[in-house]
Amino acid sequence: MIVPMDSSVLSPGLYIVATPIGNLGDLSPRAAHVLAHADAIAVEDSRVTAGLLRHIGTKRPMTPYHDHNAEAVRPGLVARMGTEAIALVSDAGTPLISDPGFKLVRDARAAGHLVATIPGPCAAVAALTLAGLPTDRFLFVGFLPPKAQAKTDAIDEIGGVRATLVLYESGPRLAATLALLAERLGDREAAVTREITKRFEEAVTGTLAALAARYADAPPKGEIVIVVAPPGEPVPASEADGDAALAEALTRLSPGQAAGEVAKALGLDRKTLYARALAMKA
Ligand code: SAM
């Protein structure tokens, strides 16, 4: 759905509007247009969104939509979408990303209403662009659970995933989380990105253990995203590994079968292994 920028009347429905994560200059013209013309804006904190509306010189009715009242107010909001343009924002960034909203989208769709997105800033994606780590595959982890056992379990669950990991974290918990990540995942390369798009934006890179040590006695202020490199490539098997595996396989199998089995298990070339197996037999 393309929102026409010249129309002051928005079609009824739900508009998911991304807002800046620090620098107000990052509010897109389309986001500003929708916020200025929505019949109502569902907000996490009306004081935060009032500041944004002041920045674009507008005032719109706001209705609170957050974790504590969402169940109660959602049906009413969805009903209004039949005749009104309802915008959804979070305090900062993209709604639904570690923020409320997915059930509102689900229910708006189920009711047959228009659902439009106005994409924009998201701390997870911004952190990835700063970290200098692979971006071809990444897993958004969001916030880890606060309780110790649940946190360890959550890290163990993603330990084998061959993707860069993106986690939201707070300053006081940063060092302990980095140390636990190092312990459970191995000492991978990582980046701590902080205060993105704000005056003191920074990205500090190093291994997880080195970063944990750096922040142990100096918890940083501000908002933080941790980016962790994928697990290293498995160490390729050597010729000696191949010979040892072949020798064992030849006690059970023909040279052809042994070469096939070892090639598959160790990722080595089957033809070379076959020649080697014949030589070993001889
Ligand atoms: N929906 C938001 C988004 O699109 O990124 C995220 C909301 S989540 C409740 C808030 C967390 O996002 C913060 O605790 C921090 O981890 C991260 N975050 C938000 N703004 C940030 C910024 N400017 N710099 C670094 N991290 C930020």
Side-chain angles (χ1 to χ4, degrees), residues 21 90 92-94 97-99 121-124 143 168-169 193-196 198 223-225:
I21 55 171
S90 53
T94 300
I97 307 301
S98 289
D99 269 333
C122 174
F143 291 101
Y168 287 164
E169 190 48 284
T193 62
R194 204 171 64 83
E195 295 289 88
I196 302 171
K198 301 183 197 175
E223 299 196 277
I224 292 161
V225 183

Side-chain angles (χ1 to χ4, degrees), residues 143 146 151 168-180 192 194-195 211-212 214-226:
F143 291 101
K151 189 169 178 174
Y168 287 164
E169 190 48 284
S170 70
R173 285 200 296 245
L174 177 65
T177 296
L178 290 167
L180 189 61
V192 172
R194 204 171 64 83
E195 295 289 88
L211 290 168
R214 174 188 172 126
Y215 291 112
D217 297 323
K221 291 204 167 60
E223 299 196 277
I224 292 161
V225 183
I226 304 172

